[in-house]
């Protein structure tokens, strides 16, 4: 079991001088909410210089200064995390999982003499497919929620006020109607800046509401499901998390983050995984 087995080769690699419009295009094209950022050294070789995530975009995108800008003039270099933590092909997988969990990283680039790609949370879920532990032991009992009529500005504040990235969108009766992740919210604001002339943005930004951008086909798992079943369902559905349903209806959510935190504890305790 080596890092090479978990590298996602499809992670987009963009140039630090690319525009934010290119990142938005990559979000739509690939489905990823993160990208590696490359630059050039003094001898002309291409090297990793940063990572950029949807959360990085969400933190800055609605500032007054940026709202007055063209998406094509905003550069990735202004949003990326420079000199990110990275691992190597010979890095121990337990060490990598521990670092991803303890520091809250969703992506870790793998680079030595060559940029090999990156490990993301999703690729590590495969280690949990056979875990029989009940999912209720790791699910988030107090997930972020938003009403269908809530503005995306309010949703953004809820997300940035926590380390969570998964928001259940409910109707007035509290029943799930969809979900939002950082990706959908960041993409909504980016396309808003792209498509709405600057003179209308201040007036219209409050018209962006959760109902219009939420993902309506959410993944449901039963509260008595195992962690293995949850991990496999999330992996195969290519989603960030699942709604956990029990006798009382919505019991909570389980996301990649909870599963990776559990994986880290399991590996460090010496349990057999995989």
């Amino acid at each position: 079991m080596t890092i090479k087995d978990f590298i996602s080769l499809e992670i987009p690699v963009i140039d630090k001088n690319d525009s934010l419009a290119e990142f938005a295009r990559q979000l739509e094209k690939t489905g990823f909410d993160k990208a590696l950022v490359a630059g050039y050294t003094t001898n002309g070789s291409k090297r990793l210089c940063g990572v950029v995530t949807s959360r990085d975009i969400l933190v800055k995108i609605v500032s007054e200064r940026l709202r007055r800008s063209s998406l094509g003039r905003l550069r990735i270099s202004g949003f990326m995390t420079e000199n990110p933590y990275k691992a190597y092909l010979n890095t121990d997988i337990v060490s990598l999982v521990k670092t991803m969990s303890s520091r809250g990283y969703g992506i870790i680039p793998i680079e030595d003499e060559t940029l090999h790609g990156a490990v993301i949370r999703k690729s590590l879920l495969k280690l949990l497919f056979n875990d029989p532990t009940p999912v209720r032991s790791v699910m988030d009992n107090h997930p972020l929620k938003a009403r269908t009529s809530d503005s995306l500005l309010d949703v953004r504040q809820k997300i940035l006020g926590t380390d969570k990235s998964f928001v259940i969108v409910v109707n007035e009766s509290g029943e799930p109607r969809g979900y939002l992740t950082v990706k959908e919210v960041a993409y909504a604001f980016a396309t808003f800046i792209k498509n709405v002339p600057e003179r209308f943005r201040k007036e219209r930004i409050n018209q962006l509401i959760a109902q219009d951008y939420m993902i309506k086909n959410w993944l449901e798992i039963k509260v008595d499901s195992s962690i293995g079943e949850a991990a496999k369902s999330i992996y195969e559905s290519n989603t960030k998390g699942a709604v956990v349903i029990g006798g009382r209806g919505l019991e909570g959510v389980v996301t990649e983050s909870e599963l990776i935190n559990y994986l880290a504890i399991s590996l460090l305790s010496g349990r057999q995984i995989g």
Side-chain angles (χ1 to χ4, degrees):
M1 186 170 61
T2 67
I3 280 183
K4 193 172 182 180
D5 298 319
F6 299 96
I7 293 175
S8 295
L9 301 175
E10 301 85 5
I11 293 288
V13 180
I14 55 181
D15 191 278
K16 68 177 184 179
N17 294 315
D18 281 342
S19 70
L20 194 56
E22 174 61 18
F23 181 67
R25 190 181 74 81
Q26 290 292 339
L27 288 186
E28 188 171 26
K29 176 183 175 182
T30 67
F32 286 101
D33 62 347
K34 305 171 181 68
L36 301 175
V37 184
Y40 290 90
T41 63
T42 53
N43 64 7
S45 60
K46 196 171 188 178
R47 298 291 289 179
L48 176 77
C49 64
V51 297
V52 61
T53 71
S54 293
R55 185 176 283 268
D56 295 329
I57 305 303
L58 197 60
V59 168
K60 298 180 180 180
I61 194 67
V62 298
S63 72
E64 187 67 25
R65 179 180 68 82
L66 295 188
R67 286 216 308 255
R68 294 179 178 176
S69 300
S70 160
L71 203 66
R73 293 206 305 266
L74 299 175
R75 300 298 164 194
I76 291 297
S77 56
F79 293 86
M80 70 181 190
T81 297
E82 294 186 78
N83 301 315
Y85 176 89
K86 64 182 180 180
Y88 310 93
L89 287 180
N90 63 354
T91 299
D92 178 69
I93 191 68
V94 175
S95 174
L96 181 138
V97 173
K98 177 186 175 183
T99 300
M100 182 170 278
S101 171
S102 63
R103 300 191 186 184
Y105 295 152
I107 181 172
I108 295 181
I110 310 300
E111 183 186 56
D112 34 49
E113 295 303 314
T114 303
L115 179 58
H116 300 284
V119 173
I120 57 176
R121 291 191 184 110
K122 177 187 173 182
S123 60
L124 294 168
L125 295 183
K126 293 180 285 187
L127 290 168
L128 292 170
F129 283 2
N130 297 318
D131 194 300
T133 308
V135 75
R136 64 166 61 91
S137 65
V138 299
M139 72 180 186
D140 180 0
N141 298 297
H142 302 286
L144 292 180
K145 294 181 183 178
R147 300 284 186 183
T148 52
S149 58
D150 284 353
S151 75
L152 287 191
L153 287 175
D154 289 339
V155 174
R156 173 183 177 271
Q157 286 302 112
K158 288 182 179 182
I159 290 173
L160 296 184
T162 71
D163 59 355
K164 300 179 182 181
S165 300
F166 193 91
V167 182
I168 298 296
V169 182
V170 299
N171 61 15
E172 294 304 315
S173 301
E175 300 167 325
R177 285 292 174 264
Y179 72 90
L180 288 163
T181 69
V182 174
K183 174 187 169 184
E184 286 79 44
V185 182
Y187 183 75
F189 285 122
T191 52
F192 173 82
I193 290 176
K194 177 182 177 182
N195 296 327
V196 178
E198 187 274 327
R199 65 183 181 277
F200 298 125
R201 289 177 190 165
K202 186 173 183 179
E203 170 189 345
R204 294 183 184 177
I205 197 167
N206 287 306
Q207 296 173 11
L208 303 179
I209 61 173
Q211 178 175 261
D212 294 336
Y213 294 92
M214 68 184 185
I215 304 298
K216 298 177 182 178
N217 297 319
W218 65 91
L219 176 64
E220 283 187 8
I221 60 173
K222 295 181 179 179
V223 71
D224 56 358
S225 298
S226 69
I227 282 177
E229 291 170 322
K232 190 171 184 179
S233 295
I234 291 171
Y235 181 88
E236 293 179 345
S237 299
N238 197 29
T239 182
K240 294 293 183 183
V243 175
V244 182
I245 300 295
R248 296 175 297 173
L250 175 63
E251 299 273 356
V253 301
V254 59
T255 70
E256 291 178 344
S257 294
E258 284 86 40
L259 293 173
I260 293 305
N261 291 340
Y262 168 80
L263 176 62
I265 293 170
S266 297
L267 289 173
L268 289 172
S269 66
R271 287 183 56 189
Q272 288 296 110
I273 296 294

